[in-house]
Amino acid sequence: MAMLAISFLLLALYFREGNGFHQKQITQPASLPQRFFPSHSSVTDYPFGNLQGVIKLLADEELIFVMYYAPWCAQSVYIRGEFIKAAKVLSETVKFAAVNCWYPDGECRQRMKFIAFPELFMYHTGVGDGYRFTGIKEAEYFVKFAESFLFPLTVLHSENQIKEFTSSNDNTVIGYFDFNSSPQPPGADYYQYYLTALRVMSYDFYQPVRFGVVNSHRLSQLLDISSSNRFIMTRVGNVTLKYPLVYNMTSKNMTTWILHYKQKNLSPWLVPPGIKSLTLSVPLQQGPSVLVFGPSNPLVHFNPYQNMARVASLAYRTCGNNTRYFENILRTFVFASFAQHLNVKEYHKKCLEKKSPVLNSDFSSYHHSKCCVSLMTGSKFTSENDVCEYCVKRSNSDTVCDIELGPDSTLDWSQNTVNSCFDFHKFYNVNEHHSVCCRNGFSKMPNLHIKTESGRLRRNTDPFILNGERLLCKQYMNKLTLQKMKRLMPIDEMSKLLTKFSDLRNGNITGLQCNTNTTLDFYYIDSVYHSVFMEKLKVPSQPKQTSVILVDLNDETLFVLKDQLDYQSLGKFVRNYTEGTLSRYRQSTEVTSPVECLMSNSVCIKEVNADTYQDVVMNKHKDVILLYYTDWCGFCSQMSKVFLSAAQYFKDNTDLIFARINGDSNDLPWEYTVDSYPTIIFFPAYRKSDSVQYPENVPKTVPNLVKFLLFHSNHSLQVDTAMHACTPKCVKKNIDRALSEISKLEASINRLERRATTLLTRPLDSANYNKYVKAALVSLKRAQDVKTFKLRKAQLLNYFLQKDFKRFDKQMMLEIIAKNAAL
């Protein structure tokens, strides 16, 4: 009992000291998360998954671009670099943040349930949920997505701007808001309209529904908008829809209504998500489709390849009852694209000039003065107002000169200074210099903002405008740096691809839709990030990774533009398809002749593709045995060994070709295709139509394949094979057999000659007997000729065997036999 008590005491002390099996720590605790983004980057990182920091950041910033990541995710690691590049470009306007949503104790892991990483969202002040990014996860597309939220609305000041705005987009929304209305300004409704633009844009920022704003009562009447705080939706095809008055101006109602009545784009930009989807298959199933592949530069708001597809789509549909409408919208769109391109080049030049520190210093010292004011003059000579800048320069640079013009001031110089600048002295003063510069049209002054209640406009020298210009130019210079890093298409190269009015005539596809029973749909695809579709179809790309593919799933046909891509070649390509003169494209792999095929007396398996199929397989002078295989076929590899062994057996025969073709990567006419792999087909010489397939129920072995060849080949191949396969012992045996056959044939011929001589020497007794003798002589002569032919054949065979059986010339033997037979 004492020993038992001591044992229990030791056991109790063992567990009391914490050495029990259930209390021992057997796993190492997880280490704390580290920063995923470098500290010097423009991205605010929250490695512990803290969402409160993002919420606090959103209270201070208008826009936040957030990346939810997992540190172990390879995709997150790659996109991290792209996210840093985009943050560097937009560091002055958009705040970038990143949250570790994998840390178990983090708030993000507990509240956000993501099934994949990374996820990117754009958050706007006052909006609870964010706008999810669904595009190509590259830096340039991040910038394009963020900038679409920076400038969601376009202010339209003239009728021409409205025409260009509606012609450049398939779906546009234009709202009328009178900011000078009384007693209630459109603040709440305008804010809902602004949020609607953001919400609709997040669905497709590549080709979104564009939102515009007019604040002129005259323009609202032109758009048939009866009251303020209302909007209309214009769709290509001369269709305009009004937002119903019974619906409230809420973001949810407006978004639902716009997306419901949104029209399909004429030339959509297809952006597959990178996973299995129906993004490409659904459009192709709707009819013949033209896919324009070309590189894009999202950092510049101009895409020549996408515009080319849109112009072709508009020109193709310019027929029927809407001919005049499509002609007008086509010309307006081409003009607007050209003007947009010129604005991009001008802005590019302007920002490059401001890059110089000398110009920056001069510009800042001049524009910080308060001695200039911009005014609208109301010219009588034009339908639009003139914008003039009136400046007073004083010799004392420290003087603060606030120019105050009363409401009764008469601007008598405005009518004589349209599109001009001049200097004058309003009052004589040696210390002052007055200047006036006027430009026609409010729309021509992009730097001027909406006028205030006092009737003034923000002038170009306003510090707010000045800082905005500096900020945008700095941001543009960052874009140029990113453009160089990503090797995107520069503006100079884009200028060469601009579609002009002369190209519309040379393209010559206007109104083709009404000439056929089918309608072509035009699509644009980024060839840099979606080149996998060209690679899958084995379509050769042109320089700069451009290509045009026309797919017709109903006819199972594929056509490829072989010329250099421009609007004229695209139009010629579409017209040839419409007229039925376009040759179908067939996928064909590039093959090179094996070294063995260039050497004599060597085994050669000739590789055939779709281009060389007719020249090799259909060569009427050669027997061809063809093996159909694919890379994914497991049995094809085993069959290749059997095929190679059979080729070794017939390597000395020059009239038999062993060839193979990859049936999966080569498109052949339907009569030359097979249903299963591997498949062997024999094409005999001079009778290709009598081709025969190796039986599926016969084991694919070397003896069976040799028997198959010899059975279906001609006599020449059989004799030649027998001669080349014969050993010296076999040759001696064949010589003995030939000599024995010769002696037998000679004895038979002698017997036939004696019988003929006997018949001729007997007297003719009667007419019947005479008739019998003549018939017998004819039979004997025919039999003698047959025996003579066989004798000559046996003699020649014996001759060649005794000379040298390896140099047996079967063609010479056949010619001699044929010559003797003719004699």
Side-chain angles (χ1 to χ4, degrees):
M1 292 296 292
M3 292 298 297
L4 183 60
I6 293 174
S7 299
F8 277 109
L9 179 61
L10 293 176
L11 187 62
L13 291 175
Y14 176 79
F15 282 104
R16 184 178 179 181
E17 294 298 328
N19 294 324
F21 294 104
H22 297 286
Q23 295 183 5
K24 187 177 181 179
Q25 182 69 29
I26 61 175
T27 59
Q28 184 179 359
S31 59
L32 294 177
Q34 303 296 324
R35 288 185 60 91
F36 190 67
F37 284 81
S39 57
H40 63 272
S41 66
S42 301
V43 181
T44 304
D45 193 4
Y46 298 93
F48 291 91
N50 182 19
L51 293 180
Q52 295 300 321
V54 178
I55 297 175
K56 183 179 179 181
L57 193 63
L58 186 59
D60 301 331
E61 302 290 339
E62 182 180 2
L63 290 175
I64 299 181
F65 203 173
V66 181
M67 171 182 170
Y68 298 98
Y69 65 88
W72 51 264
C73 175
Q75 189 73 359
S76 299
V77 173
Y78 170 75
I79 295 178
R80 173 179 57 185
E82 299 297 315
F83 203 65
I84 292 174
K85 295 175 184 177
K88 187 176 181 180
V89 173
L90 302 174
S91 58
E92 301 290 341
T93 54
V94 179
K95 192 66 177 179
F96 283 70
V99 180
N100 183 358
C101 217
W102 184 256
Y103 181 54
D105 298 334
E107 184 181 3
C108 181
R109 176 70 179 272
Q110 297 174 3
R111 296 180 57 181
M112 313 288 282
K113 304 299 181 182
F114 294 122
I115 60 176
F117 291 100
E119 289 287 352
L120 297 103
F121 283 84
M122 178 71 71
Y123 292 96
H124 187 273
T125 303
V127 181
D129 55 341
Y131 306 98
R132 184 170 180 263
F133 177 82
T134 58
I136 302 173
K137 292 181 174 63
E138 296 289 337
E140 60 269 29
Y141 287 98
F142 292 158
V143 174
K144 179 180 177 65
F145 181 72
E147 285 187 337
S148 64
F149 284 85
L150 287 173
F151 309 104
L153 301 180
T154 302
V155 182
L156 306 174
H157 302 286
S158 64
E159 182 179 353
N160 291 333
Q161 283 188 340
I162 294 176
K163 290 181 180 179
E164 294 178 1
F165 182 72
T166 55
S167 65
S168 301
N169 306 279
D170 295 328
N171 298 276
T172 56
V173 176
I174 303 177
Y176 168 50
F177 298 94
D178 187 3
F179 294 94
N180 296 323
S181 62
S182 180
Q184 182 180 359
D189 292 340
Y190 180 77
Y191 180 69
Q192 294 297 321
Y193 185 76
Y194 180 84
L195 294 181
T196 303
L198 298 180
R199 180 64 61 190
V200 174
M201 194 176 304
S202 64
Y203 284 93
D204 185 4
F205 72 95
Y206 293 97
Q207 43 195 3
V209 179
R210 296 293 181 182
F211 283 72
V213 174
V214 296
N215 56 6
S216 170
H217 182 64
R218 181 182 64 85
L219 294 178
S220 68
Q221 290 180 340
L222 180 66
L223 296 172
D224 195 18
I225 303 178
S226 58
S227 61
S228 180
N229 301 0
R230 288 291 164 179
F231 66 90
I232 62 172
M233 181 177 181
T234 62
R235 304 187 306 188
V236 67
N238 201 16
V239 177
T240 302
L241 303 176
K242 290 185 178 180
Y243 185 69
L245 296 175
V246 295
Y247 292 166
N248 294 329
M249 293 286 288
T250 62
S251 175
K252 181 179 179 181
N253 291 344
M254 290 187 288
T255 302
T256 304
W257 185 83
I258 292 172
L259 294 179
H260 177 74
Y261 290 102
K262 176 186 175 183
Q263 180 177 281
K264 175 188 174 183
N265 295 84
L266 291 182
S267 54
W269 184 343
L270 299 181
V271 187
I275 58 177
K276 189 175 182 180
S277 66
L278 301 177
T279 304
L280 192 59
S281 62
V282 171
L284 295 182
Q285 291 175 359
Q286 297 176 356
S289 304
V290 178
L291 306 179
V292 179
F293 288 88
S296 64
N297 186 353
L299 301 177
V300 179
H301 302 290
F302 178 79
N303 191 331
Y305 293 104
Q306 186 183 10
N307 290 350
M308 190 183 303
R310 177 174 170 80
V311 171
S313 180
L314 287 171
Y316 185 79
R317 289 169 169 79
T318 305
C319 61
N321 298 329
N322 293 331
T323 301
R324 187 62 179 271
Y325 168 81
F326 275 105
E327 287 179 353
N328 294 334
I329 197 173
L330 180 61
R331 295 183 62 86
T332 305
F333 174 68
V334 173
F335 175 79
S337 301
F338 189 76
Q340 183 184 22
H341 172 259
L342 293 180
N343 292 335
V344 170
K345 291 188 66 176
E346 183 178 355
Y347 188 74
H348 175 79
K349 181 179 178 181
K350 179 181 178 181
C351 289
L352 289 181
E353 290 176 352
K354 288 186 178 182
K355 186 179 180 181
S356 172
V358 177
L359 292 177
N360 280 335
S361 60
D362 295 340
F363 185 81
S364 60
S365 62
Y366 171 74
H367 286 287
H368 271 163
S369 66
K370 299 181 180 180
C371 301
C372 294
V373 64
S374 299
L375 302 171
M376 275 201 320
T377 65
S379 176
K380 299 179 181 179
F381 296 97
T382 59
S383 60
E384 300 175 347
N385 293 327
D386 294 336
V387 178
C388 296
E389 187 174 67
Y390 171 62
C391 298
V392 179
K393 301 179 183 178
R394 308 197 179 207
S395 59
N396 186 2
S397 59
D398 298 332
T399 302
V400 178
C401 43
D402 292 326
I403 301 177
E404 293 291 344
L405 295 178
D408 299 333
S409 300
T410 57
L411 305 178
D412 52 354
W413 38 263
S414 63
Q415 299 179 5
N416 301 322
T417 57
V418 177
N419 294 330
S420 62
C421 297
F422 72 97
D423 302 328
F424 71 100
H425 296 278
K426 191 173 183 180
F427 301 101
Y428 181 77
N429 189 337
V430 294
N431 296 322
E432 290 184 354
H433 183 73
H434 300 251
S435 64
V436 175
C437 184
C438 296
R439 298 184 185 179
N440 175 247
F442 182 74
S443 62
K444 306 302 181 183
M445 300 289 292
N447 295 328
L448 296 178
H449 286 210
I450 301 173
K451 64 179 182 178
T452 62
E453 294 182 0
S454 62
R456 293 192 197 171
L457 301 171
R458 283 196 180 274
R459 55 183 180 267
N460 297 341
T461 56
D462 191 295
F464 179 80
I465 298 297
L466 177 62
N467 293 333
E469 287 183 352
R470 287 178 175 175
L471 181 63
L472 292 179
C473 279
K474 180 180 178 181
Q475 185 170 298
Y476 182 76
M477 299 306 299
N478 293 335
K479 285 185 185 180
L480 294 182
T481 303
L482 179 61
Q483 173 181 299
K484 186 175 181 180
M485 293 174 58
K486 302 287 290 187
R487 297 181 179 179
L488 303 177
M489 182 183 298
I491 298 178
D492 296 336
E493 294 185 11
M494 298 169 66
S495 303
K496 301 176 183 178
L497 299 169
L498 189 66
T499 302
K500 310 177 186 63
F501 286 107
S502 58
D503 297 333
L504 298 178
R505 296 188 297 269
N506 298 330
N508 199 19
I509 62 172
T510 304
L512 281 184
Q513 180 180 2
C514 297
N515 297 338
T516 59
N517 294 329
T518 58
T519 300
L520 280 177
D521 292 324
F522 293 79
Y523 301 93
Y524 168 74
I525 301 177
D526 191 327
S527 60
V528 177
Y529 297 108
H530 297 106
S531 59
V532 63
F533 297 104
M534 291 189 293
E535 297 172 359
K536 185 65 177 177
L537 296 172
K538 304 298 181 181
V539 174
S541 61
Q542 301 171 359
K544 303 174 185 177
Q545 291 184 311
T546 61
S547 183
V548 176
I549 305 173
L550 197 156
V551 183
D552 189 351
L553 294 183
N554 294 330
D555 294 340
E556 297 183 357
T557 53
L558 179 69
F559 305 92
V560 177
L561 176 65
K562 299 180 180 179
D563 302 329
Q564 186 175 359
L565 176 58
D566 54 26
Y567 183 79
Q568 297 184 20
S569 61
L570 176 61
K572 182 180 178 182
F573 177 74
V574 173
R575 173 164 286 279
N576 290 341
Y577 169 77
T578 306
E579 296 174 352
T581 59
L582 200 62
S583 300
R584 176 184 175 184
Y585 171 77
R586 299 189 183 278
Q587 178 183 347
S588 180
T589 56
E590 295 184 3
V591 297
T592 56
S593 299
V595 180
E596 292 80 4
C597 295
L598 304 177
M599 302 169 58
S600 59
N601 298 327
S602 61
V603 181
C604 171
I605 306 295
K606 191 174 185 62
E607 190 74 25
V608 182
N609 57 16
D611 297 330
T612 61
Y613 191 92
Q614 289 289 338
D615 296 335
V616 177
V617 180
M618 294 293 117
N619 186 354
K620 66 177 183 179
H621 302 291
K622 301 289 185 179
D623 291 319
V624 180
I625 181 167
L626 183 64
L627 169 64
Y628 290 83
Y629 75 98
T630 61
D631 296 332
W632 47 263
C633 171
F635 296 103
C636 295
S637 140
Q638 180 182 0
M639 189 62 215
S640 298
K641 300 178 181 179
V642 175
F643 201 69
L644 185 62
S645 300
Q648 174 73 27
Y649 188 80
F650 293 96
K651 68 176 183 178
D652 294 327
N653 193 295
T654 58
D655 291 334
L656 177 62
I657 298 177
F658 280 78
R660 68 172 189 168
I661 184 171
N662 191 332
D664 192 34
S665 59
N666 289 276
D667 294 332
L668 299 173
W670 64 269
E671 61 270 19
Y672 299 141
T673 57
V674 295
D675 298 330
S676 61
Y677 301 98
T679 297
I680 298 176
I681 299 180
F682 177 71
F683 296 87
Y686 301 101
R687 44 192 183 93
K688 298 294 182 179
S689 58
D690 296 335
S691 60
V692 59
Q693 180 178 340
Y694 186 89
E696 295 182 358
N697 56 350
V698 176
K700 294 179 176 62
T701 60
V702 176
N704 289 340
L705 183 58
V706 172
K707 291 178 182 178
F708 169 77
L709 272 173
L710 295 177
F711 180 80
H712 295 284
S713 62
N714 52 37
H715 180 72
S716 173
L717 179 62
Q718 295 173 357
V719 173
D720 186 50
T721 304
M723 295 301 298
H724 285 83
C726 198
T727 61
K729 183 178 180 180
C730 172
V731 172
K732 186 176 183 307
K733 185 177 180 180
N734 285 328
I735 291 176
D736 295 338
R737 292 181 60 182
L739 292 175
S740 175
E741 185 69 20
I742 289 173
S743 61
K744 292 180 180 179
L745 290 172
E746 288 177 348
S748 178
I749 292 173
N750 292 332
R751 287 196 298 271
L752 292 173
E753 290 179 351
R754 287 196 299 270
R755 289 182 60 185
T757 303
T758 303
L759 291 174
L760 291 174
T761 55
R762 290 186 179 183
L764 302 179
D765 297 337
S766 62
N768 291 333
Y769 182 75
N770 188 17
K771 184 178 180 181
Y772 168 77
V773 171
K774 290 182 178 181
L777 289 174
V778 172
S779 300
L780 290 174
K781 183 65 170 64
R782 186 183 300 111
Q784 185 179 2
D785 292 340
V786 173
K787 299 292 184 181
T788 303
F789 179 79
K790 291 183 178 180
L791 176 62
R792 183 56 178 162
K793 186 177 178 180
Q795 290 174 344
L796 286 172
L797 180 60
N798 179 47
Y799 170 78
F800 287 115
L801 288 174
Q802 291 181 352
K803 286 289 185 179
D804 188 355
F805 72 94
K806 292 185 178 180
R807 296 181 181 178
F808 177 72
D809 191 350
K810 63 179 184 301
Q811 187 65 29
M812 181 186 300
M813 186 183 100
L814 295 175
E815 290 177 358
I816 295 174
I817 294 176
K819 184 176 181 181
N820 293 339
L823 295 176

